[in-house]
Amino acid sequence: MKEMLSVLRTSGIFSGISEEETEKMLHCLEVRPETFQKDEYILRAGDRVEAFGVVITGKVMIIQEDFWGHRNILSKCHTGDFFGE
């Protein structure tokens, strides 16, 4: 939890907010940490998104795949970045 708090406090949405306030916000927002394996899809085009994600460790790649399986990297999200918003 401490690692998550330190990353969140440096990201844009939580910058300038005390650790105590951040903890209260996380409780109100019903934050739930999730872990994903390398090469695992988090979201696919057309999925209903009810929450956004914040990268705590590792990175998330936003890709586009065509019919033939070719991948184009549209964006990379690193520690503290948001995705799915």
Side-chain angles (χ1 to χ4, degrees), residues 53-68:
V54 179
V55 181
I56 303 299
T57 60
K59 65 182 173 185
V60 173
M61 294 177 31
I62 313 296
I63 63 168
Q64 175 189 37
E65 286 184 320
D66 64 18
F67 179 77
W68 297 277

Side-chain angles (χ1 to χ4, degrees), residues 35-49:
T35 303
F36 298 93
Q37 300 299 315
K38 183 178 180 175
D39 295 328
E40 181 179 359
Y41 288 97
I42 298 172
L43 296 169
R44 294 178 186 264
D47 284 353
R48 181 179 174 160
V49 179

Side-chain angles (χ1 to χ4, degrees), residues 10-80:
T10 61
S11 65
I13 196 167
F14 294 102
S15 66
I17 299 174
S18 71
E19 186 172 324
E20 182 181 317
E21 290 172 323
T22 302
E23 287 179 15
K24 289 178 183 177
M25 289 175 70
L26 295 177
H27 178 71
C28 289
L29 294 170
E30 299 177 5
V31 170
R32 60 178 198 273
E34 293 190 33
T35 303
F36 298 93
Q37 300 299 315
K38 183 178 180 175
D39 295 328
E40 181 179 359
Y41 288 97
I42 298 172
L43 296 169
R44 294 178 186 264
D47 284 353
R48 181 179 174 160
V49 179
E50 297 180 3
F52 65 88
V54 179
V55 181
I56 303 299
T57 60
K59 65 182 173 185
V60 173
M61 294 177 31
I62 313 296
I63 63 168
Q64 175 189 37
E65 286 184 320
D66 64 18
F67 179 77
W68 297 277
H70 300 112
R71 290 182 171 184
N72 295 312
I73 299 171
L74 303 177
S75 181
K76 291 181 185 178
C77 300
H78 300 278
T79 302

